[in-house]
Amino acid sequence: MAATADLATIPVIDIAPFRRGEAGAATVVRAVESACRDTGFFLVTGHGVSPEATSHVYSLARAFFDLPEDYKRAYGRGTDVMGGMAFSPLAEEALAATLGIATPGDYKESLNFGPRLAGGTWADKPDGLKSAFLAYFGEMETLARTLRGVFCQAIGLADDHFEKDFTQHLSALRVINYPEQTVDPLPGQMRAGVHTDYGFMTILRSEASSGGLQVQRRDGEWLDAPNVEGAYVVNIGDAFMRWTNDAWVSTPHRVANPPSQSGGSSRRQSIPFFLNPNADTLIACLPQFEGPGRPAKYEPITYADYIALKTSQAFKR
């Protein structure tokens, strides 16, 4: 069976049949299409991502986050290195601001990297940090290419329809550290405030802990994202929702604070890969999603202009 779901859960879809060209590939496509229309979120298994590459980037990023604050802030704070690392300290980013909601900065810190994104100098500790990011980034590119093929078949496009838009893609890999909360958060402060993602899609490696990912259903209720060993959470981003004239949904989500008396460790680390197209890609409604009585809702916009707006909101620039 390709998917398991009910009205109160996020579906888990085994994409191995599609990835390998086996019987059952069409079932995978139908399951993904349904998830993208209903919740904009699904989990994938059978993805083929190297567990060694995943474990390596996870461990080295954790070692970096454990270093003294002065050391961390000495690296990744510039914009003079293409493909450099970017370090965002605790509470610097407030994601809810992208939805016009004023909150304190999110209770997290992060390391960010994209081969075509500006950053600062890579830290020299721990050894191998940059190579680990590069290796994992390559794994995500492969999985993203597979998922683009699934999306194309679900829409009725040629499998390679979007590939021209990803020849110089602006995708970003982020490792996020959610520290133990030893003091109560400020009023309105969360580990990550409610937001939608900006780009084409997000592929997230997460872990079980108190205070985790929550997804807002269309009825407004918040749903805890399940943790399935080895699975990745996939969600639609704002740019692709525009491409589909809002037929496929970019769903609000957040990372909740752990209960104040949760017991045990509440530290959490996640690794999202934000799949973003080329800077000059024009985001315009696909013909399959407009017609009589269904006019395009948005004016075409380049991805560069769109991401600049969303980023300035998040960092209050």
Side-chain angles (χ1 to χ4, degrees), residues 91-135:
E92 182 176 71
E93 183 181 38
L95 286 171
T98 62
L99 299 181
I101 303 169
T103 68
D106 297 335
Y107 203 84
K108 69 178 189 299
E109 58 182 344
S110 63
L111 271 175
N112 307 275
F113 159 73
R116 300 177 186 90
L117 301 178
T121 304
W122 280 89
D124 54 9
K125 293 190 295 187
D127 185 53
L129 184 64
K130 180 180 179 179
S131 61
F133 267 73
L134 283 166

Side-chain angles (χ1 to χ4, degrees), residues 145 147-167 200 240 243-244 277-278 281-289:
R145 193 176 304 115
L147 291 170
R148 287 198 299 271
V150 175
F151 285 9
C152 285
Q153 287 197 18
I155 294 169
L157 301 167
D159 284 8
D160 63 351
H161 176 84
F162 290 112
E163 297 315 297
K164 66 184 184 303
D165 299 314
F166 289 89
T167 55
F200 190 96
F240 197 63
W243 250 313
T244 69
N278 304 340
T281 293
L282 192 66
I283 303 168
C285 182
L286 292 164
Q288 289 82 354
F289 294 98

Side-chain angles (χ1 to χ4, degrees), residues 1-287:
M1 181 177 294
T4 57
D6 60 43
L7 292 177
T9 64
I10 297 170
V12 181
I13 304 171
D14 180 1
I15 64 170
F18 183 93
R19 189 169 59 85
R20 297 171 183 163
E22 299 173 349
T27 303
V28 172
V29 172
R30 289 194 297 271
V32 168
E33 197 274 343
S34 178
C36 290
R37 285 183 177 273
D38 292 344
T39 65
F41 270 81
F42 56 96
L43 276 70
V44 295
T45 59
H47 44 69
V49 175
S50 164
E52 292 79 17
T54 305
S55 175
H56 195 45
V57 73
Y58 178 96
S59 298
L60 290 184
R62 190 179 183 94
F64 176 85
F65 292 129
D66 285 341
L67 292 169
E69 190 70 17
D70 287 348
Y71 178 86
K72 291 186 290 186
R73 286 177 177 263
Y75 291 90
R77 303 295 287 159
T79 58
D80 57 338
V81 180
M82 188 59 63
M85 83 171 210
F87 172 60
S88 178
L90 194 68
E92 182 176 71
E93 183 181 38
L95 286 171
T98 62
L99 299 181
I101 303 169
T103 68
D106 297 335
Y107 203 84
K108 69 178 189 299
E109 58 182 344
S110 63
L111 271 175
N112 307 275
F113 159 73
R116 300 177 186 90
L117 301 178
T121 304
W122 280 89
D124 54 9
K125 293 190 295 187
D127 185 53
L129 184 64
K130 180 180 179 179
S131 61
F133 267 73
L134 283 166
Y136 188 79
F137 193 95
E139 293 285 331
M140 291 294 99
E141 285 185 301
T142 299
L143 176 54
R145 193 176 304 115
T146 298
L147 291 170
R148 287 198 299 271
V150 175
F151 285 9
C152 285
Q153 287 197 18
I155 294 169
L157 301 167
D159 284 8
D160 63 351
H161 176 84
F162 290 112
E163 297 315 297
K164 66 184 184 303
D165 299 314
F166 289 89
T167 55
Q168 298 291 317
H169 61 97
L170 300 180
S171 301
L173 175 61
R174 172 179 286 191
V175 183
I176 305 172
N177 180 48
Y178 302 102
E180 299 279 3
Q181 291 189 354
T182 56
V183 297
D184 290 337
L186 298 171
Q189 185 178 43
M190 302 194 75
R191 282 183 149 176
V194 58
H195 64 285
T196 56
D197 292 342
Y198 312 153
F200 190 96
M201 79 172 91
T202 301
I203 305 172
L204 172 72
R205 189 273 190 194
S206 191
E207 65 181 350
S209 72
S210 58
L213 176 65
Q214 295 182 326
V215 177
Q216 190 173 41
R217 297 193 332 218
R218 291 199 174 193
D219 62 5
E221 293 297 316
W222 287 99
L223 177 67
D224 290 325
N227 274 284
V228 176
E229 182 66 28
Y232 283 82
V233 181
V234 179
N235 64 276
I236 299 301
D238 296 342
F240 197 63
M241 185 171 75
R242 289 175 70 112
W243 250 313
T244 69
N245 213 21
D246 291 357
W248 288 22
V249 292
S250 178
T251 303
H253 50 284
R254 65 189 185 187
V255 179
N257 295 316
S260 58
Q261 303 297 325
S262 61
S265 175
S266 63
R267 182 177 180 179
R268 178 183 178 86
Q269 191 165 287
S270 64
I271 313 175
F273 174 78
F274 301 103
L275 180 67
N276 302 320
N278 304 340
D280 61 355
T281 293
L282 192 66
I283 303 168
C285 182
L286 292 164

